[in-house]
């Protein structure tokens, strides 16, 4: 497995020389400054790649080459958007970058309600509180249909939180929910979010699936020609948010996606944290079922509550058996080696992490501290080394 690290380029408070000290060899990054739907020029890709190579790394995964919202809605000038996406893929391939992670979540990326929830022993983590999300939807956003999305006990807890919250508490909740938007993407006010959501009115699960199928039909053949591996990232959290459908949340969804255009170029980013937040998901079983289509892995863990809340756990704690999951990925690598594939190794990165020690003073992207992820990488490295050690002859 290829140890990798997410880097936000000019937006990142963590430098490439600092990342070098983690021991990672690969960089996972994107051109976050380019607006959605525009072409990533070969010149911009080359400049970014040069900085990575100069620092001693390989740019092994793009995360993400984002999909314009019009593609998800199935509206607007789709021909131009698809052409631009294909040209960006061609420019990446020309610069030697062949793995592209992306997501198909409408409007919002990953969503949390707390960016600094205390953890045992000190430090903080990201948390999704079902009552706070319900409070935001019901009492701040005023989305009446949200009543049906939360059980009575969650709605009651939401009402109590809202009644007791200050204006600063509510502002902090909005900031947390908006934090998942990547790079320099504009954040919404409550009124701005209402306006944005209006553009998705009437969009159902079947509509989003139809748009997704069209996207795959438009770009996967080009990916095949370019020797590019596309790998969709699961929904985070794996549930409908703000009344918007999520269609990459469980094994059935993944099976539909991979069958929609059945090609090795149409693959999966195995994110153990996103999938692990759904109580019905057995993450290791999902990894084994779709192993041959996993092109990239995010390894992290979550601890779930009965009401639908969850928080980021330490990488080897939480509800997912990380040792079993890593074993599944190593088994797939062994299968690929046996086939003689030169690209048998699966790049992975320690995803998210607790803010520990001096992380609290760095003001890094939420979920992407230096020390917390370094701890996660070290733990995962140990698991991989132990599982890879030849069994002594009896």
């Amino acid at each position: 497995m290829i140890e990798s690290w997410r880097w936000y380029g000019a937006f990142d408070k963590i430098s490439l020389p600092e990342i070098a000290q983690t021991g990672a060899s690969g960089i996972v990054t994107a051109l976050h400054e380019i607006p959605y739907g525009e072409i990533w020029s070969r010149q911009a890709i080359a400049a970014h790649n040069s900085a990575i190579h100069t620092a001693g790394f390989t740019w092994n995964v793009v995360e993400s080459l984002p999909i314009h919202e019009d593609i998800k809605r199935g509206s607007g000038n789709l021909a131009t958007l698809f052409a631009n996406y294909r040209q960006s893929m061609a420019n990446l391939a020309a610069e030697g970058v062949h793995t592209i992670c992306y997501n198909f979540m409408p409007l919002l990326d990953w969503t949390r309600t707390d960016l600094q929830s205390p953890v045992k022993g000190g430090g903080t983590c990201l948390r999704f509180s079902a009552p706070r999300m319900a409070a935001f939807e019901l009492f701040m956003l005023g989305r009446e249909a949200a009543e049906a999305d939360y059980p009575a006990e969650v709605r009651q807890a939401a009402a109590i939180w809202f009644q007791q919250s200050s204006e600063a508490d509510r502002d902090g909740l909005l900031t947390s929910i908006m934090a998942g938007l990547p790079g320099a993407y504009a954040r919404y006010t409550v009124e701005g979010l209402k306006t944005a959501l209006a553009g998705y009115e009437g969009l159902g699960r079947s509509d989003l699936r139809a748009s997704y199928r069209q996207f795959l039909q438009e770009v996967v053949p080009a990916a095949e020609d370019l020797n590019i591996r596309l790998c969709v990232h699961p929904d985070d959290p794996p549930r409908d948010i703000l009344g918007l459908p999520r269609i990459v949340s469980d094994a059935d969804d993944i099976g539909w996606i991979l069958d929609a255009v059945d090609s090795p170029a149409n693959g999966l980013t195995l994110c153990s944290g996103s999938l692990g937040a759904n109580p019905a998901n057995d993450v290791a079983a999902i990894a084994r079922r779709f192993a041959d289509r996993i092109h990239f892995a995010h390894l992290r863990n979550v601890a779930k509550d009965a009401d639908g809340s969850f928080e980021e756990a330490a990488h080897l704690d939480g509800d997912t058996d990380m040792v079993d999951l890593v074993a599944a990925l190593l088994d797939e690598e062994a299968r690929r080696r046996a086939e003689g594939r030169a690209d048998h190794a699966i790049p992975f990165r320690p995803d998210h992490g607790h803010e520990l020690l001096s992380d609290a003073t760095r003001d890094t992207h939420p979920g992407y501290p230096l020390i917390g992820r370094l701890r996660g990488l070290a733990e995962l490295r140990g698991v991989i080394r132990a599982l890879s050690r030849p069994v002594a002859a009896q």
Side-chain angles (χ1 to χ4, degrees):
M1 297 180 70
I2 304 171
E3 296 182 4
S4 307
W5 191 274
R6 189 168 191 183
W7 180 57
Y8 285 90
F11 300 102
D12 208 320
K13 300 293 179 66
I14 300 171
S15 68
L16 289 172
E18 287 178 304
I19 296 171
Q21 295 182 52
T22 70
S25 60
I27 291 293
V28 175
T29 188
L31 303 183
H32 294 292
E33 67 276 12
I34 297 180
Y36 287 19
E38 294 189 8
I39 294 172
W40 289 15
S41 72
R42 186 166 176 182
Q43 293 79 5
I45 294 166
H48 203 59
N49 208 3
S50 177
I52 291 167
H53 278 283
T54 299
F57 297 99
T58 299
W59 183 0
N60 57 0
V61 181
V62 174
E63 188 179 345
S64 296
L65 180 58
I67 298 171
H68 195 277
E69 294 301 307
D70 280 353
I71 293 176
K72 300 171 190 176
R73 287 188 292 250
S75 63
N77 188 353
L78 296 181
T80 296
L81 290 173
F82 289 135
N84 288 356
Y85 205 94
R86 290 190 293 264
Q87 186 60 57
S88 294
M89 291 197 306
N91 292 342
L92 284 162
E95 293 300 321
V97 186
H98 290 273
T99 302
I100 299 174
C101 171
Y102 68 97
N103 74 70
F104 214 79
M105 291 180 270
L107 193 60
L108 293 183
D109 205 315
W110 59 265
T111 305
R112 299 291 185 274
T113 60
D114 302 85
L115 302 181
Q116 294 181 315
S117 183
V119 297
K120 183 179 179 180
T124 62
C125 71
L126 302 180
R127 179 172 175 81
F128 179 89
S129 163
R132 291 194 187 191
M133 192 69 203
F136 177 78
E137 294 205 58
L138 291 167
F139 306 118
M140 293 175 62
L141 199 61
R143 193 174 74 83
E144 293 182 4
E147 285 272 350
D149 292 345
Y150 297 95
E153 61 270 20
V154 171
R155 297 198 305 270
Q156 182 180 9
I160 292 171
W161 181 87
F162 185 76
Q163 291 164 3
Q164 296 177 345
S165 65
S166 65
E167 184 175 350
D169 292 331
R170 297 168 192 174
D171 288 344
L173 178 58
L174 175 63
T175 297
S176 297
I177 292 170
M178 291 296 105
L181 291 167
Y185 200 96
R187 271 61 179 166
Y188 297 107
T189 63
V190 170
E191 290 305 313
L193 184 57
K194 288 180 181 179
T195 301
L197 285 169
Y200 295 83
E201 189 171 354
L203 182 75
R205 180 179 178 84
S206 60
D207 302 309
L208 192 58
R209 273 193 166 185
S211 295
Y212 194 0
R213 186 191 295 274
Q214 184 180 11
F215 168 76
L216 292 172
Q217 290 170 339
E218 291 281 350
V219 303
V220 170
E224 292 174 337
D225 293 341
L226 295 165
N227 193 31
I228 275 181
R229 295 172 293 271
L230 295 166
C231 40
V232 64
H233 186 286
D235 302 325
D236 186 9
R239 50 162 291 169
D240 292 357
I241 291 288
L242 304 176
L244 300 174
R246 296 288 182 99
I247 58 170
V248 196
S249 293
D250 57 24
D252 289 342
D253 288 342
I254 295 167
W256 180 90
I257 292 161
L258 301 186
D259 288 343
V261 176
D262 190 4
S263 166
N266 177 25
L268 173 66
T269 295
L270 193 285
C271 180
S272 57
S274 297
L275 292 169
N278 183 340
N281 286 339
D282 181 331
V283 182
I286 289 173
R288 290 187 169 92
R289 175 177 170 183
F290 301 110
D292 63 331
R293 303 284 278 275
I294 295 173
H295 302 319
F296 180 37
H298 289 179
L299 299 182
R300 63 181 173 89
N301 224 321
V302 296
K304 299 183 288 293
D305 298 333
D307 67 357
S309 303
F310 63 89
E311 67 181 29
E312 310 281 357
H315 285 72
L316 301 188
D317 295 332
D319 298 332
T320 294
D321 184 339
M322 191 61 68
V323 175
D324 189 31
L325 176 57
V326 170
L329 297 175
L330 290 173
D331 287 346
E332 173 59 16
E333 285 192 337
R335 187 194 66 80
R336 296 177 189 184
R337 278 196 303 272
E339 288 184 345
R341 285 178 51 176
D343 63 344
H344 63 270
I346 299 172
F348 79 96
R349 65 175 178 84
D351 194 17
H352 296 180
H354 293 172
E355 280 197 345
L356 304 174
L357 303 170
S358 61
D359 282 336
T361 68
R362 295 293 297 262
D363 191 28
T364 56
H365 284 71
Y368 292 92
L370 176 59
I371 296 173
R373 282 188 290 164
L374 176 57
R375 173 187 169 181
L377 178 58
E379 292 175 342
L380 294 167
R381 180 182 294 145
V383 170
I384 293 166
R385 182 67 62 88
L387 291 174
S388 302
R389 185 168 181 255
V391 178
Q394 299 296 319

